[in-house]
Amino acid sequence: MRGIAAVPSYVVMQPTTLCNLDCAYCYLPHRAADRRMPVAVAEAVAAAVTPWVARGRFSVVWHGGEPLAAGREHLAALIAAFPAGVEHHVQTNATLIDDAWCAFFAAHGVRVSVSVDGPAARNGDRVTRAGRPAYDRIVRGVAALRRHGLPFSALAVVSRPTPGLATELYDYFLDLGCDVLGLNIEETEGVNTRSNAHDAAAVTAFWAELVAAWRRAPRVHLREVEWSLRYAAAVLDGAEGDLLPRQLDPIPTIGYDGSVTVLSPELAGFSDARYGDFSSGNVLATPLAEILAGAAGTDWVGEFLTGVEACRSSCPYFGFCGGGHAANRYFEQGRFDGTETEHCRNSKIRLLEGVLEHARDHESPAR
């Protein structure tokens, strides 16, 4: 985990800035504006992606705004720019999914991930632009996916970890029918300035409870827990040094206008008096491979890499998280070379401690 890799494992594409919802915790700055990605931007990215696909698995993640707000015809034109062999994923709030969209996903081989925070009572922050609850529309979209036999993942935001919540959420997603589940403790980033500071014991207990719920019925791939268990197994095998990649994935996010933001999609669309607009270039002017090759020379990226090295030398959890995310440092600390953030505590440190706490509480008695 030293420096930035020249070739990413996936790219994030913003087909439109528009979102039809107005979630209270959303970080996106321009979600009320419908700024759509020109096909020329997708074609420029595809030119760089084509040789990368030949090396192995490669994904394009369509992320907004709400990607489906771009419309089927326009999204199809953007997807068509990419070569065969690319895996296409879409992160959606599901409110626009109907039979026609399901046919689209099947025809284009698009893998779907749905943002929903659990049962209706847990979705109070997910509202329409008129401030009305969006839950019924979300579950109608999920029902369409299930009706068409399309597998889907789910992504939930947890704003307040409380006793009993982890079990409630896991049971809900079992019934929902997703095959992969990710749980994010709400983050302070972008235009969301709500505090993400929580009692350490409460967060650790949340993760421990989640492991217990999963172990009773491990029918869903639980993203955070399975990664934690892989890390624990690697430590026991003395192979933890082989778990993280040798270099950071640049995770290039391609804005609707072709601008490229590396490392943290959450920084796209923002600017700062000190750092500028966080863009490393634009694919309409410079090939993506060339932009990525020079990304480490960007001031804020260099500062972030300094912070990663500070984490390596000071944090016992470095082997688990690899130094955290650039956006969390910036939005919590106002700079990139800091170390521990509230996000680190909630979603890395307490996560691993929760998994280990569950293991300690359920270990077999010595014989």
Side-chain angles (χ1 to χ4, degrees):
M1 292 288 286
R2 295 185 186 275
I4 300 176
V7 177
S9 60
Y10 65 100
V11 296
V12 179
M13 302 284 287
Q14 185 183 47
T16 177
T17 56
L18 179 66
C19 187
N20 59 324
L21 298 188
D22 193 21
C23 302
Y25 50 63
C26 184
Y27 63 85
L28 293 167
H30 305 302
R31 61 185 186 272
D34 187 5
R35 302 170 182 171
R36 299 192 183 186
M37 176 179 283
V39 173
V41 171
E43 291 173 340
V45 176
V49 164
T50 298
W52 297 338
V53 173
R55 302 184 184 189
R57 183 178 180 182
F58 193 88
S59 299
V60 173
V61 180
W62 300 94
H63 201 303
E66 166 52 49
L68 305 193
R72 284 186 295 278
E73 182 177 345
H74 188 61
L75 191 55
L78 296 174
I79 289 175
F82 288 90
V86 169
E87 292 183 5
H88 290 278
H89 300 251
V90 63
Q91 185 67 47
T92 174
N93 60 40
T95 60
L96 300 175
I97 296 178
D98 55 14
D99 291 340
W101 271 112
C102 289
F104 178 96
F105 298 145
H108 295 278
V110 177
R111 305 183 184 196
V112 179
S113 178
V114 172
S115 298
V116 58
D117 297 338
R122 300 294 182 182
N123 280 265
D125 286 332
R126 301 186 63 76
V127 297
T128 67
R129 298 217 150 266
R132 299 188 181 94
Y135 182 75
D136 288 348
R137 295 172 61 185
I138 295 170
V139 294
R140 279 201 299 269
V142 171
L145 292 171
R146 297 187 65 171
R147 190 166 60 247
H148 285 264
L150 295 174
F152 64 96
S153 303
L155 183 63
V157 173
V158 176
S159 295
R160 290 168 293 279
T162 54
L165 176 59
T167 301
E168 177 188 346
L169 291 178
Y170 188 74
D171 290 345
Y172 171 84
F173 285 105
L174 272 180
D175 292 339
L176 191 69
C178 61
D179 53 10
V180 180
L181 172 61
L183 293 177
N184 290 344
I185 305 292
E186 182 180 336
E187 301 169 40
T188 302
E189 61 184 4
V191 297
N192 178 27
T193 58
R194 303 195 312 192
S195 173
N196 63 339
H198 302 287
D199 176 73
V203 180
T204 301
F206 171 84
W207 291 119
E209 181 187 324
L210 183 64
V211 179
W214 175 72
R215 288 192 64 190
R216 286 195 298 271
R219 299 195 302 273
V220 173
H221 287 292
L222 201 50
R223 186 184 64 181
E224 287 77 18
V225 170
E226 292 186 19
W227 167 249
S228 302
L229 293 175
R230 282 180 60 199
Y231 175 74
V235 171
L236 291 174
D237 291 340
E240 65 270 26
D242 299 328
L243 198 59
L244 293 174
R246 296 303 178 192
Q247 292 181 301
L248 290 166
D249 194 315
I251 316 176
T253 295
I254 317 302
Y256 77 95
D257 59 353
S259 58
V260 180
T261 306
V262 298
L263 296 174
S264 287
E266 299 84 359
L267 290 169
F270 287 90
S271 60
D272 180 274
R274 178 182 174 190
Y275 303 108
D277 64 2
F278 301 112
S279 171
S280 295
N282 191 296
V283 297
L284 295 178
T286 308
L288 180 57
E290 185 177 328
I291 292 173
L292 297 183
T298 307
D299 286 348
W300 74 264
V301 175
E303 186 176 295
F304 172 71
L305 294 176
T306 299
V308 169
E309 292 307 309
C311 284
R312 186 194 309 277
S313 63
S314 65
C315 182
Y317 297 88
F318 181 84
F320 178 60
C321 79
H325 300 292
N328 296 113
R329 296 189 192 197
Y330 174 72
F331 289 115
E332 287 193 32
Q333 301 175 342
R335 55 186 305 112
F336 292 96
D337 56 0
T339 52
E340 189 175 304
T341 64
E342 292 293 350
H343 173 71
C344 292
R345 299 181 188 104
N346 293 333
S347 299
K348 303 297 182 181
I349 297 173
R350 308 307 177 212
L351 165 61
L352 187 57
E353 290 179 347
V355 171
L356 296 177
E357 179 179 290
H358 172 84
R360 284 192 294 269
D361 290 345
H362 294 81
E363 64 183 352
S364 300
R367 293 186 178 181

